[in-house]
Amino acid sequence: MQKFTKLTGIAAPLPLVNIDTDMIIPKQFLKTIKRSGLGVNLFDEMRYDDDGNEIPDFVLNKPQYRETQILVAGDNFGCGSSREHAPWAIADFGITCVIAPSYADIFYNNCFKNGILPIVLPQEQVDVLMKDAEKGANARIEIDLEAQTITSSDGDVFNFEVDAFKKHCLMNGLDDIGLTMEKASAIDAFEAQMSAQRPWT
């Protein structure tokens, strides 16, 4: 997993509430167990018409937002089913930070396990960043995970809270496997001890 320390990038405004995981990645794309290749289908039913053509008015189809790395969204983002394909699709598109007033718990935790920083801010601060994101590619928002700050293109600075353990994992690029591998030497020592004590197993 890529380390997340600082990010300065284009933010796309998505001022919708209750964006569920089926909107993020519809059910027909859940057959794969790969984390890659889902970005093209992110928000599929909002991005494409019935013939597979891009809908020009959808924010991620606009030229100024095609390189989006930050998503500013409405309340209760990621609700619905617990599908981990939702953060997979977001990350594969290139978005590594979502800012919203609240999230569904499972989606929120899955983000951290997939290298995405989900930031919770009060609605009034999200509104400021939403308006900032509407400026397009010229307005870049800066995220500093170590300092736990967001800086808008106008210089407004907002502090955010994040669990210390989740912060550690993101800053060090540690998913569940990476966390286990941090204990590799202790695991090896335990296995050697068990083999010596119980050679018949």
Side-chain angles (χ1 to χ4, degrees):
M1 194 169 79
Q2 291 283 352
K3 294 180 181 181
F4 189 116
T5 52
K6 286 185 179 181
L7 169 65
T8 301
I10 299 167
L14 195 62
L16 301 173
V17 299
N18 301 319
I19 294 176
D20 63 33
T21 52
D22 191 55
M23 294 167 68
I24 295 170
I25 186 73
K27 59 185 179 300
Q28 63 265 33
F29 303 109
L30 305 186
K31 297 174 184 177
T32 182
I33 57 171
K34 295 180 180 178
R35 298 188 184 195
S36 60
L38 290 170
V40 68
N41 301 116
L42 177 67
F43 298 118
D44 190 86
E45 293 176 359
M46 291 190 280
R47 282 173 72 191
Y48 307 105
D49 63 23
D50 291 340
D51 296 320
N53 301 309
E54 288 188 352
I55 298 171
D57 288 342
F58 184 68
V59 62
L60 297 183
N61 291 337
K62 295 179 180 180
Q64 62 268 41
Y65 295 110
R66 289 189 179 272
E67 302 299 321
T68 290
Q69 294 174 280
I70 302 164
L71 191 65
V72 185
D75 199 30
N76 198 29
F77 190 86
C79 58
S81 71
S82 60
R83 64 190 69 170
E84 195 169 5
H85 292 69
W88 290 359
I90 290 171
D92 192 60
F93 183 87
I95 295 170
T96 53
C97 179
V98 181
I99 301 169
S102 69
Y103 301 85
D105 287 343
I106 294 175
F107 174 84
Y108 181 80
N109 289 315
N110 279 341
C111 280
F112 286 100
K113 295 179 180 182
N114 289 281
I116 301 167
L117 173 61
I119 295 175
V120 178
L121 287 180
Q123 184 65 59
E124 58 270 22
Q125 294 181 5
V126 173
D127 290 342
V128 171
L129 295 172
M130 189 78 72
K131 189 173 181 179
D132 195 39
E134 290 171 358
K135 297 175 184 176
N138 292 327
R140 292 177 176 264
I141 291 176
E142 179 183 289
I143 313 292
D144 187 329
L145 178 54
E146 184 172 13
Q148 296 179 206
T149 59
I150 303 172
T151 306
S152 75
S153 67
D154 293 326
D156 297 308
V157 179
F158 302 118
N159 295 96
F160 62 89
E161 297 297 321
V162 62
D163 176 81
F165 176 70
K166 290 180 171 68
K167 177 179 178 178
H168 167 79
C169 291
L170 271 185
M171 293 193 69
N172 291 280
L174 298 171
D175 57 12
D176 289 345
I177 294 173
L179 284 167
T180 301
M181 294 310 296
E182 278 194 320
K183 308 295 183 183
S185 59
I187 293 169
D188 290 342
F190 175 80
E191 288 182 344
Q193 181 184 12
M194 289 298 101
S195 293
Q197 291 178 356
R198 303 175 181 177
W200 59 89
T201 60

